[in-house]
């Protein structure tokens, strides 16, 4: 049986000692989860190793830790996979999750961070008036859609390594945002606009997400929190035209309009347009401040020679820019936005493979 | 090797030195660039945020143009953000034939058609996977001995791994380090290499944005790097153009040059800092340039 | 009046999460609660109390609508109405579901509601219950708790106490049950004098993953998946020609165990569950969790390959004996959910009836307990009870490590032994030896030692207390199984292979009297469904 070395980050506030690493040798099959190895160490070597765990099946969300620096559930990370990311090929580093205070060993204070953020998004259904006599009649697809966010087990793995949260601890964060979409995407909820206004106007709300895909990458349940944040933005701007003070709306509009007009990005225009309705447009006070704040940057760009002054005034249109505009017109002309959520439809590649397989068989028999 | 080349917008806008460097480097590594000069912006995720179908259609248009390039083996980009934004659209386009047909219906107006499965790779991937590190090593004209380079990938080229082909190429998140070593420089390990530059929220939350940029730059300096290198011009905007601003958010002096990936390759292939546009950076590259030009030619 | 919810883990970590497949209700106009009730009675092998079953099944439709109105994201049919899937032992498709995370969705929505009523409900998250407070009149007046985060022992006074502590699966190894399912509530009530009932009725789920025993939802078979033996036979044809894979769980588990025992299983000791017959799109939409379980824990793409499975310990039909309002033998003490035995499941629980049991009798318990509390004064609890607990915990921490065994070693031996001797097939010899082992382990547990002497998150000492809970309850399980000399529902005695209504159509109650477990009987309530032969 293979031998693994667990290198566990230990911390006991009672001991008065600083956090330190401690190694445990574990003999175990590689297809067993890291959690089993931790529990082996706890059960056979040192019962004081602190880790929350319960279901051992990736549904209770208790055992979020960092394994070799990557946040994950200990229960659904197999030893053979964990060791593949070990620097020396044998020692598996296990640490508490990030962005949250450590209580003991691998146990972090989720109340202080995660659950507070969940509370911020008003995490319950707000229907309009009294419920119907029977069930709400809603499309099946809508319920499958919100099941993606309902599938969140609040393990905190995405919170642990959220890069925006590292820079701005107030950021509402991936998990709470996904929770928000669970209501915004629920046709039974009647507070959609209020929810979106709140999330858009919050300086640490949906426009504080830096789009780094970290949460999408680490989520053990396929919730894809960042995708939900993008959908929240899409609904805030597209459905409700919420002109937030964070320039989220303006930035999106400016970007989209520039591509429509020029075909490629015209950065020199993007900055002022993101802050106002164009350089000559009326600026809101916050936007003025930001634009002035960004002026040194633009000037530096010109001085360094990377931005020719002429570029600020003049951006060449794409040769086929009209074709791009036609695409815009066609798609904006549709009655509704079309969104392909692979979570709902799945991929059809295998279906094609299957039919190909059938065809092969038919040929074989004919 | 002929590639359908999509330089992206920023490499011809705010960071023209990137596009320029790529055009100089390409023939030296045996790449023939067939530039997609009629292609449009990838949307950088923002258009997808606005309207998914619009983003998918615009990128399907680019893919279709790439597929229509005679003799091109694949499509190449020089921007992590293009890579990520385009891969996201491609994932949807390739997943559903029904959806693809709908998009192709729109493209039909231009006599374009996207067929499932375009290969779209950043120059970094092309260099390692298609040209090869051995070949690169043999092409080096000036080993960058003594140069300490901190890699900075940009999120869009490393996450999410399943969309970006990491199952087939699990080492894609170490290519920068590998390349840096092959050209004789030293790869500097620091905490920020695979983190976010913060650029996407620069207009929405400057503090969140530049705190990130500033920290990574500071970490690289603390780790003793001479310069950063990035395959993403948008990262370059936050790390270089915004670097003087970023100092205010991390309360420290920075001042570390940030090279575009093709510039670094160019230096090793014997090109001079000036022709690679290194004079066009906001943070001075003079010290790096001086170090490099002091190095003797390898061959 | 105030309500406090006390849980040894954060509430959304609770094991209701694991109820994947759905929740039953005769809500469809073509269906009837009587049909649901009959299926439940038959599923129970006529050991369920029919008055309680009638209440559960008749109140079920309203409960589903209530949950739907609160926000549970039940999947719909093509008309946008609540959709159903087929489930085992049911004569109609009446299982309402959220993909295969139904329990999780319900649990999380109920937690949402707790946050909504934050000002009316006090939440005590990560508090461990060390004992019930019982006054001189034998009334339950609260509980003694340990704050897991700082080790403080506190007395919680209460007019009424409802135990909703779940099952006892950790007595077995492997089990589908979470590590927290350590029989806490059952043991505390039992030690305080409450009767336990139907404890011998341990459900083995037909489809648990070979090796680690992870649950594969019955919803898989509900969506059309098949079971095969090594010869490629859909063996359920022999055992349940009408319902096939969707017979009652005891029937399917026994069939699998028979195939395996008689050499028709795969060499690894499994039979195969084949989900590939379900359309891929439907798998992704409705069985996503199982796709992930296959991928993450078995390295299998279930849309392409069969899953090696075998029967695995899953549920206890027995529990603290209650009436239909959740009242136990002890005044002021209620129980609801898996910890309780009303009894609606009798000898075998139908899939998708556990969430229903929990919700219906949880609500009824709450209503009754609140009604009683309104007309009461707050009782007092002697501080000495907290002192006793403090001393008990100190004593565990102080145990000598040079003698005795580790707590975890005893737990492992218990689990493996129970899974060997008190499983799908049982006999007197095995059960008696099981009882001996349990008694020995009880003795050994008194000197079992731990490592952690701290106060903050000392999970080690809680494990020692939980071991005590489990051993007490294991004893009652084995005693019940020895006592019931017949085969009914989940209890199959190879030495008594037939059901014997004449002698054993009755509940076995076990009570602690003067420190000794004592067996009593109570009648099964039969209203309109007379016992008949049970075939599927």
């Amino acid at each position: 049986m293979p031998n693994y070395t667990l290198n566990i980050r230990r911390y006991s506030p009672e001991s008065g000692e600083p956090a330190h690493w401690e190694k445990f040798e574990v003999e175990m099959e590689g297809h067993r989860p890291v959690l089993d190895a931790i529990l082996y160490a706890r059960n056979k070597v040192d019962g004081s190793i602190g880790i929350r765990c319960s279901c051992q099946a990736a549904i209770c969300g208790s055992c979020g830790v960092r394994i070799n620096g990557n946040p994950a559930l200990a229960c659904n990370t197999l030893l053979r996979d964990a060791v593949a990311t070990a620097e020396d090929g044998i020692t598996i580093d296990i640490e508490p999750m990030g962005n949250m205070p450590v209580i003991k060993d691998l146990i972090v204070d989720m109340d202080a961070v995660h659950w507070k953020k969940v509370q911020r998004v008003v995490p319950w259904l707000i229907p309009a008036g009294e419920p119907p006599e029977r069930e709400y009649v809603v499309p099946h697809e809508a319920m499958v859609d919100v099941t993606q966010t309902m599938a969140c087990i609040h393990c905190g793995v995405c919170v642990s390594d959220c890069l925006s949260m590292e820079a701005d601890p107030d950021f509402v964060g991936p998990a709470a945002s996904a929770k928000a979409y669970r209501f915004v995407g629920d046709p039974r909820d009647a507070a959609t606009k209020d929810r979106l206004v709140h999330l858009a106007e919050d300086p640490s709300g949906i426009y504080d997400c830096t789009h780094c895909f970290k949460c999408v990458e680490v989520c053990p349940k396929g919730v894809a929190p960042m995708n939900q944040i993008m959908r929240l933005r899409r609904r805030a701007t597209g459905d409700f035209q919420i002109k937030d003070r964070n320039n989220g709306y303006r930035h999106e509009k400016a970007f989209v309009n520039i591509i429509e007009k020029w075909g490629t990005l015209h950065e020199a225009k993007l900055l002022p347009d993101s802050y106002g309705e164009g350089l000559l447009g009326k600026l809101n006070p916050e936007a003025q401040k930001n634009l002035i704040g960004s002026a040194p940057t633009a000037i530096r760009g010109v001085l360094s020679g990377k931005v020719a002054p002429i570029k600020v005034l003049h951006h060449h249109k794409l040769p086929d820019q009209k074709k791009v505009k036609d695409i815009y017109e066609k798609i904006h002309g549709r009655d509704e936005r079309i969104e392909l959520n692979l979570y709902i439809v799945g991929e059809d590649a295998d279906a094609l493979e299957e039919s190909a397989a059938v065809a092969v068989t038919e040929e074989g028999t004919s | 090797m002929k590639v359908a080349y999509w330089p992206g917008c920023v490499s011809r806008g705010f960071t023209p030195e990137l596009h320029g460097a790529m055009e100089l480097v390409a023939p030296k590594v045996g790449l023939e660039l067939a530039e997609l000069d009629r292609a449009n912006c990838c949307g950088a995720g923002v258009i997808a945020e606005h309207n998914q179908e619009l983003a998918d259609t615009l990128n399907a248009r680019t893919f279709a143009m790439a597929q229509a390039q005679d003799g091109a083996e694949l499509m190449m980009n020089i921007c992590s953000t293009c890579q990520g934004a385009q891969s996201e659209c491609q994932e949807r386009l390739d997943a559903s034939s029904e959806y693809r047909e709908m998009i192709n219906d729109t493209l039909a107006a231009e006599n374009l058609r996207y067929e499932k499965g375009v290969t779209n790779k950043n120059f970094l991937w092309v260099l390692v996977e298609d040209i090869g590190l051995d070949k690169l090593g043999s092409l080096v004209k000036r080993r960058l001995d003594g140069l300490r380079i901190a890699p900075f990938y940009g999120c869009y080229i490393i996450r999410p791994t399943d969309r970006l082909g990491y199952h087939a190429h699990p080492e894609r998140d170490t290519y920068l380090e590998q390349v840096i070593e092959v050209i004789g420089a030293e790869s500097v390990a620091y905490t920020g290499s695979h983190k976010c530059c913060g650029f996407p929220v620069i207009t929405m939350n400057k503090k969140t944005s530049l705190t990130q940029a500033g920290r990574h730059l500071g970490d690289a300096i603390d780790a003793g790097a001479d310069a950063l290198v990035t395959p993403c011009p948008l990262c370059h905007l936050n790390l270089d153009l915004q670097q003087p601003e970023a100092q205010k958010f991390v309360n420290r002096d920075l001042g570390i040059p940030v090279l575009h990936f093709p510039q670094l390759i160019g230096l090793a292939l014997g090109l001079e800092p000036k022709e690679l546009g290194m004079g066009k950076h906001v943070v001075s590259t003079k010290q790096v340039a001086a170090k490099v030009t002091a190095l003797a030619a390898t061959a | 009046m105030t309500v406090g919810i006390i849980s040894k883990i954060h509430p959304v970590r609770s094991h209701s999460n694991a109820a994947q497949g759905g929740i039953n209700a005769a809500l469809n106009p073509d269906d009837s609660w009587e049909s649901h009730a009959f299926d439940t009675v038959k599923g129970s092998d006529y050991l369920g109390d029919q008055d309680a079953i009638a209440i559960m099944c008749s109140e079920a439709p309203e409960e589903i609508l209530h949950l739907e109105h609160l926000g549970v994201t039940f999947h719909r049919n093509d008309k946008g109405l609540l959709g159903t899937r087929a489930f085992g032992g049911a004569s109609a498709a009446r299982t309402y579901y959220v993909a295969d995370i139904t329990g999780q969705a319900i649990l999380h929505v109920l937690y949402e509601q707790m946050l909504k009523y934050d000002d009316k409900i006090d939440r005590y998250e990560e508090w461990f219950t060390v004992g019930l407070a019982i006054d001189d009149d034998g009334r339950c007046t609260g509980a003694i708790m340990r704050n897991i985060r700082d080790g403080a022992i506190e007395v919680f006074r209460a007019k009424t106490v409802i135990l909703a502590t779940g099952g006892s699966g950790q007595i077995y190894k492997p089990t589908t049950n979470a590590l927290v399912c350590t029989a806490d509530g059952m043991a505390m009530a039992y030690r305080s004098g409450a009767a336990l009932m139907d404890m011998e009725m341990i459900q083995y789920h037909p489809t648990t993953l070979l090796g680690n025993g992870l649950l594969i939802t019955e919803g898989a078979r509900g969506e059309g998946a098949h079971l095969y033996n090594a010869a490629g036979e859909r063996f359920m044809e022999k055992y349940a020609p009408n319902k096939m894979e969707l017979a009652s769980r005891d029937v399917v588990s026994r069939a699998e165990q028979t195939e395996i025992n008689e050499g028709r299983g795969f060499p690894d000791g499994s039979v195969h569950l084949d989900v590939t017959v379900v359309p891929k799109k439907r798998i992704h939409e409705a069985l996503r969790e199982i796709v992930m379980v296959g991928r993450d824990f078995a390295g299998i793409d279930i849309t392409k390959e069969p899953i090696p499975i075998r029967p695995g310990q899953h549920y206890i039909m027995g529990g603290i004996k209650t009436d239909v309002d959740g009242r136990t033998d002890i005044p002021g003490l209620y129980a609801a959910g898996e910890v309780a035995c009303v009894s609606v499941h009798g000898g075998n629980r139908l899939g998708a009836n556990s969430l229903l049991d929990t919700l219906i009798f949880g609500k009824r318990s709450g209503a009754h307990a609140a009604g009683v509390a309104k007309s009461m004064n707050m009782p007092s609890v002697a501080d000495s009870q907290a002192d006793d607990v403090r001393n008990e915990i100190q004593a565990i921490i102080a145990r000598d490590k040079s003698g005795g065994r580790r707590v975890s070693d005893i737990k492992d031996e218990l689990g493996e032994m129970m899974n060997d001797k008190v499983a799908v097939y049982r006999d007197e010899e095995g059960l008696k030896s099981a009882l001996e082992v349990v008694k020995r382990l009880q003795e050994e547990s008194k000197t079992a030692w731990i490592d952690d002497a701290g106060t903050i998150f000392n999970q080690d000492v809680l494990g020692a207390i939980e071991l005590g809970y489990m051993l007490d309850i294991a004893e009652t399980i084995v005693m019940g199984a020895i006592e019931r000399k017949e085969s009914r529902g989940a209890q199959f005695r190879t030495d008594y292979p037939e059901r014997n209504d004449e002698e054993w159509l009755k509940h076995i109650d076990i009570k602690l009297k003067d420190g000794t477990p004592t067996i009593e009987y109570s009648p099964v309530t039969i209203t309109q469904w007379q016992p008949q032969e049970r075939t599927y």
Side-chain angles (χ1 to χ4, degrees), chain C residues 255-271:
Chain C
E256 292 174 2
Q257 197 62 53
T258 305
E259 292 295 304
I260 294 166
N261 290 354
E262 294 178 359
R264 291 186 296 275
F266 289 85
D268 57 7
S270 72
V271 290

Side-chain angles (χ1 to χ4, degrees), chain A residues 248-265:
Chain A
Y249 176 88
R250 287 195 174 82
H251 175 70
E252 180 194 307
K253 279 283 170 293
F255 195 109
V256 170
N257 290 342
I258 285 169
I259 308 305
E260 181 174 16
K261 201 165 173 191
W262 276 280
T264 55
L265 187 60

